[in-house]
Amino acid sequence: CLHFDDGRTLSESLIVAEYLDDAYPSQNRLKPSDAYENARQKSAIEAFAKIIPYFYKIIMNKEKKIDQEVANQLNEALRSFFKQYVKE
């Protein structure tokens, strides 16, 4: 969270990063200045956000055993993400 002296707050990490880049443009930037790379970075973040629920289902499983279907879905989602966004 980013808290301001006047009581305002920004709580989403992506919004905070964008705010800091806009508020302090001459400092080290957190997002790419190249429009394509910036869009690609946003796309990767959105794609990874869709994977997080699979982790959550596994972590919050009260029976303490891995649901094989969820594990397979997580595995496939991660393979797809890495294939599209991670350079070898």
Side-chain angles (χ1 to χ4, degrees):
C1 280
L2 181 60
H3 300 284
F4 296 87
D5 292 338
D6 63 5
R8 295 178 298 163
T9 300
L10 294 174
S11 58
E12 293 293 326
S13 58
L14 296 176
I15 303 302
V16 170
E18 194 167 316
Y19 168 81
L20 291 172
D21 276 352
D22 292 343
Y24 304 100
S26 63
Q27 303 296 320
N28 293 332
R29 298 190 57 82
L30 299 171
K31 62 182 183 177
S33 56
D34 178 74
Y36 174 79
E37 288 303 320
N38 186 39
R40 185 159 164 76
Q41 183 182 69
K42 283 183 178 183
S43 178
I45 291 167
E46 285 185 25
F48 196 78
K50 294 176 184 174
I51 296 171
I52 293 172
Y54 299 118
F55 284 111
Y56 187 76
K57 285 180 184 178
I58 291 171
I59 291 169
M60 299 308 291
N61 185 335
K62 293 181 181 182
E63 296 175 13
K64 303 297 181 201
K65 65 178 183 177
I66 294 178
D67 179 331
Q68 194 58 49
E69 182 179 341
V70 174
N72 290 342
Q73 290 170 336
L74 172 59
N75 189 35
E76 184 56 37
L78 286 170
R79 284 178 195 258
S80 177
F81 178 84
F82 279 93
K83 184 177 180 181
Q84 186 169 356
Y85 295 104
V86 178
K87 296 177 184 177
E88 294 187 27

